[in-house]
Amino acid sequence: MDLKNLTYEVRKKGTKFIVVTGGVCSSIGKGVLVSSLGVLLKNAGYSVSVIKWDPYLNVDPGTMSPLEHGEVFVTHDGAETDLDLGHYERTLGISLSRDSSVSSGQIFKSILDGEREGKFLGKCIQLVPHVVDAIKSRLFAFALNHDVDFVLLEIGGTVGDIEGKVFLEAIRQIRSDLQPAHIFHGHLSYVPRLEWTGEVKTKPTQHSVNALKEEGLVPDCIFLRAAFAIGQQQRRKLATMCGVAEDLIFEVLTYKPVYPLFIDLQKQGVSKRIQEYFGILAAKSSNLSQWQELIDRINACKKVVKVALVAKYVGSNDPYISVIEAIKSAGYAHDVAIDIVVIDAEKLEGARNSENWDLLKSVDGIIIPGGFDKRGGEGKMAAVRWAREQNVPYLGLCLGMQVMLIEFGRSLVQLEQANTTEFDKNTPHPVISLLEEQAKVVTKGASMRLGEYACKLVPGTKSAQAYGQDVVSERHRHRYEFNNKYKAAYEAQGVVFAGLNPESGLVEIAELQGHPFMVGVQFHPEFLSSPLKPHALFKAFVGAVLEQINKK
Ligand code: GLN
């Protein structure tokens, strides 16, 4: 369908759009705000879906360093996306697809591919209209493909960035294409307090709204991210300076964990005001009782248990955000708070008497998350060995399963030089290796085994018990696999292959018999865990941790 017809159809359908931009600086929580708005609307009885526009030129974040860009979240249909999609899925309890993640890279690629195919009929291709039209078309097609009352749209980056301008221009045009009553624009800004005078400053917010005005946009509402309550005087000033009604200026305070923010925004009347904007006069209120129950449960947690995340990136938790969320949620389900200690795997490579080893020795459970390349690989195997020998509950995720099986190979199966061909191409015992079809792949982008695959569970195993199901479907993101040539030798040493792909026979889950809980999975269960519905394997892991503590 061409843009004209798409626009017509969207108008006819009456989809309501809520767009969120961010000002002043990054990392002020646009993704959390969008999720929160979704929670309010969903719990008021509306259906919602979410789309993220990322102004960077990468086609997707799959090729970016997790240190720079945080975790790569994988959707059920195998798209490698921004971690914000994880926030949306977890808080809204919905499953998003590839079409929820749009980058400049994707838009430009489609334009340039089209140009080479001669689709532009001799025209000179320009940012306006061609690029902007492509952006609008993606959004409208999304709205037509998803039967929801509200489409929430987050624009990545900060207003004023060169990269974001075409996206803001698309919003400017959409406001007139759909008429204002179909799109609501909220702008999230940051309000600092000067350390040396104690003063609260609204000027950065004024500047960021001015940057929007330069693009022809006046926001319908402003959300103020701050570490403290914002006084009426500041709000009044912002209302005057920015041209936004005072009762459409809300504050977004910092909550850890974030769930009380939903209740706070509800109390401020955010959802009611949004509904009124769209002409819904009998605004429905949101039933947040499930979230309130979770908050009460968290507040009642008295016991704290320590779990190590033995990993490559230390400093920021963003590279492991879904894993961390999954562990914490599983803890709350058992009424315990989990203190997650991130240990630099590389620093476990020496003797067992360093500071990092002391840290590892102090924990009640160990998790090794997904990862790539050999840095820290030997340290991860040292942590696996510790967990195996000391009966410390262990959960290995993707690479975490691979290093677990390499360690078993070396210590239990007498394959002293067992390895993955990812770490050592010439290992004599490639217990983890590439399938032929992966060995042929030369491109880096979107070329792994991605998305959901089935896993058939072996009855009587810990995993089958945890899931309480025969077949499950889990998300993947990896190239390497357990080499089934070694299967029998492993089984002879007490390794149980508790989950297999029903079509290919590839190993999905491995467990160690006689250990309180030593489970590795080739997939990423963390992507299917949510605060209101923690994942079965994480719950079983925390259960095992608590059982071990009680035994002591
Ligand atoms: N590097 C490993 C592989 O590609 C594991 C990937 C991961 O942990 N996501 O198979």
Side-chain angles (χ1 to χ4, degrees):
M1 222 189 288
D2 66 10
L3 180 57
K4 201 167 150 215
N5 282 318
L6 282 170
T7 312
Y8 173 77
E9 290 299 327
V10 169
R11 276 166 74 157
K12 204 165 76 180
K13 193 172 174 191
T15 306
K16 299 167 190 67
F17 294 89
I18 296 176
V19 55
V20 171
T21 51
V24 182
C25 59
S26 59
S27 305
I28 57 172
K30 279 195 303 280
V32 168
L33 175 62
V34 169
S35 303
S36 307
L37 299 179
V39 166
L40 295 186
L41 292 167
K42 192 184 159 194
N43 289 296
Y46 298 105
S47 52
V48 296
S49 195
V50 195
I51 189 163
K52 168 110 198 247
W53 284 353
D54 273 309
Y56 49 69
L57 288 174
N58 303 62
V59 172
D60 61 44
T63 54
M64 280 191 244
S65 157
L67 255 195
E68 199 166 307
H69 192 263
E71 160 191 283
V72 175
F73 185 79
V74 181
T75 56
H76 69 93
D77 57 349
E80 298 176 278
T81 72
D82 189 85
L83 59 80
D84 275 328
L85 269 79
H87 286 313
Y88 311 151
E89 285 205 350
R90 279 191 290 276
T91 44
L92 299 175
I94 53 175
S95 179
L96 301 170
S97 308
R98 184 173 295 281
D99 59 353
S100 279
S101 177
V102 177
S103 69
S104 284
Q106 287 168 28
I107 298 289
F108 285 124
K109 189 169 184 304
S110 73
I111 298 261
L112 295 179
D113 288 347
E115 186 267 346
R116 290 291 90 177
E117 286 162 24
K119 282 198 181 145
F120 291 91
L121 307 173
K123 286 261 182 322
C124 165
I125 305 168
Q126 297 179 295
L127 290 176
V128 183
H130 301 100
V131 172
V132 170
D133 282 0
I135 296 170
K136 293 201 295 181
S137 299
R138 283 275 312 249
L139 182 68
F140 291 164
F142 182 91
L144 294 178
N145 286 336
H146 298 267
D147 216 4
V148 291
D149 302 315
F150 287 91
V151 169
L152 304 174
L153 166 63
E154 175 183 346
I155 304 188
T158 307
V159 297
D161 293 349
I162 288 183
E163 290 88 353
K165 286 188 189 267
V166 278
F167 291 103
L168 296 179
E169 171 61 13
I171 296 301
R172 190 192 67 79
Q173 292 186 15
I174 289 170
R175 282 184 85 104
S176 55
D177 293 342
L178 297 184
Q179 284 135 46
H182 281 292
I183 179 163
F184 177 84
H185 176 186
H187 182 61
L188 176 67
S189 164
Y190 171 61
V191 179
R193 177 156 49 198
L194 301 185
E195 215 184 301
W196 48 94
T197 64
E199 287 169 293
V200 172
K201 289 294 180 191
T202 62
K203 189 71 80 185
T205 300
Q206 296 176 41
H207 279 302
S208 74
V209 170
N210 280 346
L212 279 172
K213 287 179 181 166
E214 277 169 25
E215 306 302 330
L217 290 168
V218 182
D220 299 303
C221 109
I222 300 178
F223 293 98
L224 302 171
R225 174 68 194 267
F228 43 83
I230 312 249
Q232 210 178 7
Q233 197 194 338
Q234 270 86 12
R235 287 179 199 230
R236 201 163 290 154
K237 187 166 175 189
L238 278 170
T240 312
M241 302 307 278
C242 301
V244 173
E246 200 181 318
D247 65 346
L248 278 161
I249 300 180
F250 304 104
E251 63 188 15
V252 178
L253 301 183
T254 305
Y255 292 98
K256 265 185 183 171
V258 74
Y259 319 122
L261 176 64
F262 309 157
I263 316 269
D264 182 347
L265 292 175
Q266 164 87 341
K267 281 194 189 137
Q268 293 181 57
V270 171
S271 150
K272 189 165 172 273
R273 294 295 278 121
I274 292 177
Q275 293 178 66
E276 282 168 4
Y277 173 92
F278 285 111
I280 304 168
L281 297 177
K284 296 190 259 182
S285 73
S286 314
N287 176 359
L288 299 175
S289 57
Q290 271 188 310
W291 292 104
Q292 188 58 55
E293 276 162 32
L294 177 66
I295 296 165
D296 294 343
R297 194 168 193 142
I298 295 171
N299 290 339
C301 286
K302 289 207 175 68
K303 197 177 167 124
V304 180
V305 301
K306 237 163 135 181
V307 168
L309 194 66
V310 178
K312 184 158 120 183
Y313 304 112
V314 186
S316 156
N317 280 342
D318 276 1
Y320 308 109
I321 184 96
S322 293
V323 179
I324 287 173
E325 291 293 316
I327 305 172
K328 287 191 174 162
S329 304
Y332 302 142
H334 285 281
D335 296 311
V336 293
I338 308 237
D339 175 17
I340 298 168
V341 195
V342 185
I343 301 181
D344 183 346
E346 226 180 345
K347 301 220 166 103
L348 295 175
E349 279 172 13
R352 285 181 176 178
N353 59 3
S354 62
E355 203 181 301
N356 285 279
W357 266 104
D358 288 344
L359 215 51
L360 188 73
K361 287 175 190 171
S362 73
V363 303
D364 306 303
I366 299 175
I367 292 190
I368 298 193
F372 294 84
D373 97 23
K374 72 187 230 191
R375 182 153 69 82
E378 291 298 324
K380 288 176 188 169
M381 285 178 237
V384 169
R385 192 165 309 135
W386 176 261
R388 182 174 56 74
E389 291 170 353
Q390 306 294 322
N391 284 335
V392 181
Y394 174 88
L395 180 62
L397 311 170
C398 206
L399 185 67
M401 178 196 88
Q402 298 175 355
V403 290
M404 178 184 96
L405 288 172
I406 298 168
E407 199 285 324
F408 290 175
R410 293 179 185 179
S411 302
L412 305 176
V413 197
Q414 262 89 55
L415 302 166
E416 278 86 20
Q417 295 181 62
N419 217 331
T420 159
T421 52
E422 184 180 14
F423 298 173
D424 176 7
K425 265 203 182 75
N426 305 315
T427 168
H429 304 299
V431 296
I432 307 290
S433 62
L434 287 180
L435 293 184
E436 222 172 284
E437 67 235 40
Q438 269 295 335
K440 280 188 241 151
V441 174
V442 283
T443 51
K444 281 268 186 278
S447 60
M448 288 187 249
R449 183 177 168 209
L450 288 167
E452 254 174 38
Y453 286 89
C455 166
K456 193 166 175 353
L457 298 159
V458 175
T461 55
K462 287 211 173 69
S463 308
Q465 223 173 3
Y467 279 109
Q469 269 169 280
D470 301 333
V471 182
V472 292
S473 192
E474 291 279 0
R475 297 188 190 172
H476 291 247
R477 180 172 185 254
H478 59 105
R479 290 199 164 81
Y480 297 81
E481 308 278 354
F482 177 69
N483 186 343
N484 273 335
K485 200 174 95 184
Y486 294 96
K487 210 165 159 203
Y490 271 70
E491 282 169 337
Q493 300 308 322
V495 179
V496 181
F497 295 102
L500 300 174
N501 180 286
E503 277 119 50
S504 59
L506 289 172
V507 168
E508 295 281 352
I509 309 179
E511 299 179 1
L512 184 63
Q513 246 166 14
H515 187 285
F517 191 95
M518 188 124 207
V519 178
V521 295
Q522 185 55 82
F523 45 82
H524 291 275
E526 67 271 23
F527 294 148
L528 291 183
S529 185
S530 63
L532 296 178
K533 232 176 158 194
H535 192 282
L537 285 179
F538 282 91
K539 267 202 300 198
F541 166 76
V542 176
V545 168
L546 294 175
E547 231 171 83
Q548 280 302 101
I549 293 176
N550 288 338
K551 271 193 207 157
K552 278 182 196 162

